[in-house]
Amino acid sequence: GSQISCFSPTNFTAKQSAYVDTACWDSLVHHGFDTEGHAITKSLWALKVPVELAPGCPRVPPRTAQRPLVSLTQVFPYALLVVAVLMYMPYLLWRYAAVPALHSDLLFIIDELDKSYNRSVRLVQHMRKVQQASANPERFWEEYERARRERYFEFPLLERYLTCKQRAHSLVIIYVLRNLLLLLFLAATCLFLIFLHLNIFFQDEFSCSIRMGLLEAEPHIPPLIPCKLVFFSVFQLVSLSVGGVYVLLIPVVIYNALQLCQWDKGLLSVYEMLPAFDLLSRKMLTCPVNDLNVILLFLRANISELTSFSRLSAVSAVRDTSANRQDIDTVVDFMTLLAGLETTKPKH
């Protein structure tokens, strides 16, 4: 249906009323008077494109020369489409510039962490078989001490790989750039909607004038015709909804960006129970703005893929509630405990 409704004089025919609606919808210029009674005009166009005339071209009347090419209600849906495209650009940047490398890093780290846990389980099973097959109980404790002394749980490849990621900054640059673009587009959209509301979006009724050109000398045409934008409230509701959602998204984006300012030590601290994994204890985690911190953030988000984490978390909870916490400090002690072995070394 029609997006504008003009109240034409009663002596106008149906075709004349339709012409008034079309002309006022095409112009969208409000005519009024100031406090001193001077005639003023206010354009309801979102964008005004000036018309440049070539030399020798006839000039049009001043009222028509200031007429823009695109109206607010005609532009607003396309403006939202442009906003949607802009908001999709940070996703494309992250999807094609960072996700492939990040995905391979996560798969490698998850696989290596699970392997370290599985090696500890196999070692405890071997120690259990040694205890059952040996008549000498001291043989078991010799194997136990040798396992801790020779660092059977050592996985230098993973630890060196994580250390290497501390000196890389490609992922963190893309991560920061993505968040900055999101903040820029969110703020620009909110400012654009605020500008529209302050200037145009509170004026759904305006006075239109069609006395121009051949109709300027017609005495039966009134100087001003009141008009109303029918779907104006729909545009207001859409703009308020979009603006409200984007305002709520701004602190979320800022919070995600600030996560790079600190280490997620809760994840790696669980694996500190493994004797060889001392990335934290050796103070190797320096400045958090690097690729390793980004990897840890996404590893935390995909913690369900890390099978060993939940099991080691349970072991950590047992250690925190243990009476002899100083005697149970590594996963070797807990594995022997969970395997039903006596963790207290017999006295001679």
Side-chain angles (χ1 to χ4, degrees):
S2 177
Q3 301 186 49
I4 191 173
S5 178
C6 293
F7 304 95
S8 304
T10 56
N11 59 346
F12 274 32
T13 63
K15 290 185 177 180
Q16 290 174 332
S17 299
Y19 171 79
V20 171
D21 290 348
T22 303
C24 292
W25 167 252
D26 188 54
S27 65
L28 281 181
V29 176
H30 171 66
H31 297 263
F33 300 92
D34 57 10
T35 56
E36 299 180 356
H38 300 139
I40 59 173
T41 59
K42 178 181 179 182
S43 175
L44 302 181
W45 305 81
L47 300 174
K48 301 195 77 173
V49 182
V51 179
E52 295 292 340
L53 297 178
C57 293
R59 292 189 173 272
V60 294
R63 182 183 302 170
T64 309
Q66 296 179 357
R67 178 176 167 185
L69 299 180
V70 188
S71 67
L72 167 65
T73 48
Q74 293 167 341
V75 162
F76 183 70
Y78 298 100
L80 293 183
L81 180 61
V82 172
V83 170
V85 173
L86 291 178
M87 297 303 297
Y88 198 67
M89 291 177 58
Y91 166 77
L92 293 179
L93 173 66
W94 181 257
R95 174 66 180 82
Y96 293 102
V99 166
L102 179 62
H103 184 259
S104 61
D105 290 337
L106 291 177
L107 289 180
F108 172 76
I109 293 174
I110 289 175
D111 183 64
E112 287 297 319
L113 289 176
D114 287 340
K115 283 182 179 179
S116 65
Y117 177 84
N118 294 332
R119 283 198 296 267
S120 65
V121 173
R122 288 195 298 269
L123 179 58
V124 171
Q125 292 174 347
H126 170 71
M127 294 165 58
R128 176 67 171 172
K129 291 179 181 179
V130 170
Q131 185 193 37
Q132 292 176 348
S134 177
N136 185 9
E138 292 295 327
R139 177 68 185 280
F140 166 74
W141 294 107
E142 291 177 0
E143 290 289 335
Y144 179 83
E145 295 296 337
R146 188 165 66 91
R148 303 189 63 168
R149 183 174 61 255
E150 298 184 6
R151 299 168 65 91
Y152 284 178
F153 303 95
E154 188 170 5
F155 38 103
L157 176 61
L158 175 61
E159 189 165 332
R160 292 180 183 179
Y161 185 78
L162 296 180
T163 306
C164 178
K165 284 298 177 180
Q166 286 186 277
R167 297 189 292 268
H169 299 86
S170 59
L171 286 178
V172 73
I173 291 176
I174 300 175
Y175 184 81
V176 172
L177 180 60
R178 183 194 69 170
N179 286 278
L180 289 179
L181 288 177
L182 283 174
L183 285 176
L184 176 62
F185 294 151
L186 288 173
T189 303
C190 293
L191 292 177
F192 172 69
L193 295 176
I194 290 174
F195 167 78
L196 294 184
H197 277 274
L198 293 179
N199 290 274
I200 301 173
F201 263 21
F202 289 108
Q203 188 168 356
D204 58 341
E205 298 180 357
F206 65 99
S207 297
C208 177
S209 176
I210 62 172
R211 299 187 65 174
M212 61 183 67
L214 297 177
L215 301 178
E216 190 171 1
E218 295 293 333
H220 66 281
I221 297 179
L224 298 177
I225 298 177
C227 295
K228 180 178 179 61
L229 298 175
V230 178
F231 291 99
F232 203 78
S233 58
V234 176
F235 293 124
Q236 285 182 319
L237 179 62
V238 172
S239 63
L240 288 176
S241 302
V242 173
V245 172
Y246 282 7
V247 168
L248 294 177
L249 284 178
I250 289 178
V252 175
V253 176
I254 295 177
Y255 174 79
N256 289 333
L258 292 179
Q259 293 300 305
L260 292 177
C261 297
Q262 60 181 358
W263 287 103
D264 185 9
K265 297 184 179 181
L267 179 63
L268 293 182
S269 63
V270 174
Y271 289 89
E272 286 290 303
M273 292 184 295
L274 301 178
F277 196 87
D278 50 1
L279 191 64
L280 288 176
S281 60
R282 284 195 292 159
K283 308 297 183 181
M284 297 178 65
L285 297 178
T286 55
C287 178
V289 185
N290 51 56
D291 287 358
L292 178 58
N293 201 7
V294 177
I295 293 174
L296 293 180
L297 290 177
F298 283 88
L299 188 61
R300 169 69 70 177
N302 296 273
I303 200 64
S304 59
E305 303 294 331
L306 193 57
T307 306
S308 59
F309 179 79
S310 59
R311 299 178 181 179
L312 285 178
S313 297
V315 174
S316 178
V318 174
R319 180 184 63 179
D320 294 338
T321 58
S322 175
N324 298 322
R325 189 179 307 175
Q326 66 277 7
D327 297 331
I328 307 177
D329 57 350
T330 65
V331 73
V332 180
D333 305 298
F334 281 103
M335 289 303 172
T336 56
L337 178 63
L338 296 177
L341 304 179
E342 179 64 38
T343 58
T344 303
K345 187 175 181 179
K347 297 179 179 181
H348 293 284

